[in-house]
Amino acid sequence: MKQKRTKNEYVEWTQKIAPKTHKLKNIILAFIVGGIICTIGQVILSLLLKTGMLKEDAASLTTLLMIFLGAFLTGINVYDNIGRIGGAGAAIPVTGFANSIVSPAMEYKKEGYVMGVGAKMFLIAGPVLVYGIVASIAAGILYYIFTINI
Amino acid sequence: MGTRLGKQTLRLDSHPVIQAWASIAGAKEGNGPMGRYFDEVVQDEYFGEKSFEKAESKFIRETFAKILMKGNVSAGDIQYIFSGDLLNQCIAASYGIRETEIPFFGLYGACSTMAESLILGSLMVEGGFAERTVCITSSHFCSAEKQFRFPLEFGSQRPPTAQWTVTGAGGVLVGNSGNGPKIVHVTTGKIVDMGITDANDMGSAMAPAACDTITMHFTEAGLAHNYYDMVVTGDLGTHGKNICKQLLEENGILIQDILDDCGTMIYDTTVQKTDCGGSGCACSAVILTGYLLEKLSKKDLNKVLLVCTGALHSPSAIQQGESIPAIAHAVGIEMIP
């Protein structure tokens, strides 16, 4: 049997007739879900500041609490549903980062604490950490060079 | 002995018989439109085991036990088992049947494994090397997600071309006598790769393979386009089925009215949120052993062509920039008095 299309023509054609992502709907949902998560963070921060806590300490504690919230919601099988609806709105806040670490840890627990949880925990978050650290080192070096010259 | 009709198609003149069949499906499949046809629906995704992989092995083990029971045979009456699944090193199959002490062929045909095992099992019977063989396959949504995509609890979005791996197992007992549905023609697929690199778009990757095998089947067996009551592809999903329909029309194979797809039959795609439909080895396996063979044995259908489709990629190959090779195997099953 001969194909009537070249590979490129075929790929183009299938993409053209494929069911499309609802971009506007996804953007709006990401905005709402991300907004809700950030509002929760802001409420926590404001409450902490009200107790008379220093701003820096309150900010750190808020991040910690949000990480706990993300990890907790992952643990009780809720965050994957938030992620399915919210997309980037659920992935980019620190709760999403917690989800990306806790979900593989849960999944690979059955393969032991060393080669399972330990080795696979950063399956998804690994690249974020690697390139985040590389970027911060680069930024640090640049900062050092420019501040010395001044 | 069988007759070679062409490059890919054989006619099995002794008509190996599908003597018994069994299907076990997961909860989501049980809630779908095909739910009432399965022998058993398991609500617990762990099936009482400690991991998804062990659960999938249990699906195979329990299905095998059901086949023996329904066929009224013991393990000693089976000469060969042909089995495979989606997991690395096909562990669902090998762990599932390790206690049976029956000669075993482990197969990997991705989601085409049901037809692949059925072809090999029936050829073994046709050749007179076995009185009875068992062909069985499984897949599990959770173990497949873990192996091919992300951890289960990771909050990622599914693209609209994605499909949902069917949880379950289906298997058949093929023998050289009896009154059940008979295997008359088999067409072994060849690998077709049209350059699709998106692992979330299996329908597009597999549709050309399905079209190729169906075209070869009708051409080499010399069958009229209205010969079958139903031509059922494995797991093309709604998107892949549309492509396949169009490709077949371009090839001059006019079976649009009788063409269906197990992936589109198994779920209510809008209500169950499965995007393009079902996939996985168990998709065609449970539709064959739950629905199609039941309809054949009740003579609601007389002739069915099952075309199981498989995408033969791996996450490593995709990450290395490779495209997705696909395959489709066809088995013509008929009720012959």
Side-chain angles (χ1 to χ4, degrees):
Chain A
M1 188 196 100
K2 269 215 173 102
Q3 288 288 345
K4 290 193 169 67
R5 295 175 181 80
T6 64
K7 283 190 182 185
N8 284 339
E9 284 168 351
Y10 179 74
V11 173
E12 251 170 53
W13 173 59
T14 55
Q15 282 170 352
K16 213 171 89 185
I17 61 168
K20 296 284 177 294
T21 309
H22 297 287
K23 279 194 185 124
L24 185 67
K25 186 181 143 207
N26 282 353
I27 289 170
I28 293 169
L29 283 173
F31 181 76
I32 294 170
V33 171
I36 291 173
I37 293 172
C38 294
T39 309
I40 295 171
Q42 185 59 48
V43 168
I44 294 174
L45 182 67
S46 302
L47 287 174
L48 289 174
L49 285 172
K50 262 197 173 167
T51 64
M53 193 180 272
L54 286 175
K55 200 177 175 190
E56 252 181 33
D57 292 346
S60 302
L61 191 56
T62 305
T63 311
L64 281 179
L65 286 171
M66 292 308 282
I67 289 173
F68 168 76
L69 189 68
F72 180 71
L73 290 176
T74 305
I76 58 168
N77 304 350
V78 171
Y79 207 87
D80 58 325
N81 297 319
I82 300 175
R84 195 167 305 137
I85 300 163
I92 290 177
V94 76
T95 46
F97 189 65
N99 169 253
S100 74
I101 293 173
V102 174
S103 58
M106 285 166 67
E107 188 117 338
Y108 287 95
K109 196 181 145 212
K110 277 143 205 125
E111 285 159 34
Y113 283 99
V114 178
M115 295 314 287
V117 175
K120 299 281 172 61
M121 200 172 202
F122 297 103
L123 200 65
I124 302 162
V128 181
L129 295 175
V130 170
Y131 296 110
I133 291 166
V134 169
S136 62
I137 290 171
I141 292 170
L142 287 175
Y143 180 76
Y144 180 73
I145 293 169
F146 285 109
T147 45
I148 274 185
N149 286 348
I150 292 163
Chain B
M1 286 294 276
T3 313
R4 174 168 285 279
L5 301 176
K7 182 182 168 191
Q8 290 170 249
T9 307
L10 305 174
R11 188 178 64 226
L12 309 188
D13 297 315
S14 77
H15 300 158
V17 184
I18 302 180
Q19 295 175 336
W21 51 90
S23 57
I24 304 182
K28 195 180 180 89
E29 293 69 29
N31 289 331
M34 291 285 153
R36 63 199 166 97
Y37 292 104
F38 305 133
D39 291 326
E40 187 183 341
V41 173
V42 178
Q43 298 299 329
D44 173 19
E45 58 194 10
Y46 281 104
F47 208 165
E49 296 286 331
K50 285 208 169 75
S51 72
F52 299 131
E53 289 81 0
K54 287 181 182 173
E56 193 176 335
S57 292
K58 190 169 174 186
F59 269 100
I60 293 246
R61 191 155 52 242
E62 296 290 316
T63 305
F64 180 70
K66 269 193 201 310
I67 295 168
L68 295 188
M69 199 185 70
K70 289 176 84 177
N72 202 16
V73 290
S74 68
D77 299 326
I78 316 284
Q79 278 85 45
Y80 293 100
I81 296 179
F82 293 86
S83 181
D85 55 87
L86 290 177
L87 301 181
N88 284 338
Q89 290 81 35
C90 291
I91 50 169
S94 37
Y95 284 75
I97 58 154
R98 70 176 155 182
E99 278 94 19
T100 60
E101 296 192 350
I102 299 170
F104 163 63
F105 287 104
L107 307 175
Y108 188 80
C111 312
S112 70
T113 310
M114 190 66 243
E116 185 184 8
S117 60
L118 205 47
I119 290 175
L120 294 170
S122 57
L123 286 181
M124 208 54 121
V125 171
E126 174 77 18
F129 301 109
E131 250 177 82
R132 289 183 199 86
T133 59
V134 164
C135 315
I136 185 167
T137 178
S138 71
S139 58
H140 193 307
F141 173 75
C142 302
S143 59
E145 283 294 304
K146 181 178 168 185
Q147 174 152 334
F148 288 97
R149 283 171 280 272
F150 293 118
L152 216 51
E153 296 304 326
F154 179 58
S156 62
Q157 263 177 336
R158 292 161 52 82
T161 49
Q163 288 171 253
W164 195 279
T165 308
V166 170
T167 301
V172 298
L173 173 68
V174 181
N176 58 7
S177 61
N179 293 321
K182 296 178 174 64
I183 298 170
V184 182
H185 293 98
V186 297
T187 301
T188 309
K190 52 185 186 283
I191 293 177
V192 178
D193 187 338
M194 286 302 286
I196 299 288
T197 51
D198 181 2
N200 279 311
D201 186 7
M202 293 299 169
S204 299
M206 299 188 297
C211 170
D212 185 83
T213 300
I214 294 170
T215 308
M216 290 308 276
H217 182 84
F218 278 100
T219 313
E220 293 187 340
L223 302 175
H225 294 164
N226 61 0
Y227 182 79
Y228 290 104
D229 299 322
M230 231 178 147
V231 176
V232 191
T233 51
D235 55 352
L236 295 178
T238 44
H239 179 43
K241 188 174 148 188
N242 283 340
I243 297 172
C244 187
K245 263 188 183 172
Q246 204 154 327
L247 292 176
L248 283 169
E249 206 176 311
E250 288 168 11
N251 272 358
I253 305 289
L254 304 171
I255 54 164
Q256 277 66 20
D257 300 337
I258 51 164
L259 185 72
D260 212 331
D261 178 67
C262 300
T264 62
M265 294 159 79
I266 192 156
Y267 298 120
D268 186 332
T269 47
T270 41
V271 177
Q272 297 189 292
K273 295 200 172 19
T274 50
D275 300 298
C276 270
S279 68
C281 301
C283 185
S284 48
V286 296
I287 294 290
L288 170 73
T289 56
Y291 179 76
L292 294 173
L293 289 173
E294 217 53 54
K295 290 279 171 194
L296 280 163
S297 65
K298 285 186 184 141
K299 305 259 172 78
D300 291 340
L301 293 168
N302 277 314
K303 297 184 179 103
V304 169
L305 182 69
L306 177 74
V307 188
C308 295
T309 42
L312 303 172
H313 69 299
S314 82
S316 304
I318 297 296
Q319 278 161 17
Q320 289 171 20
E322 270 285 7
S323 55
I324 302 170
I327 197 159
H329 301 295
V331 183
I333 306 168
E334 302 180 18
M335 284 306 287
I336 301 170

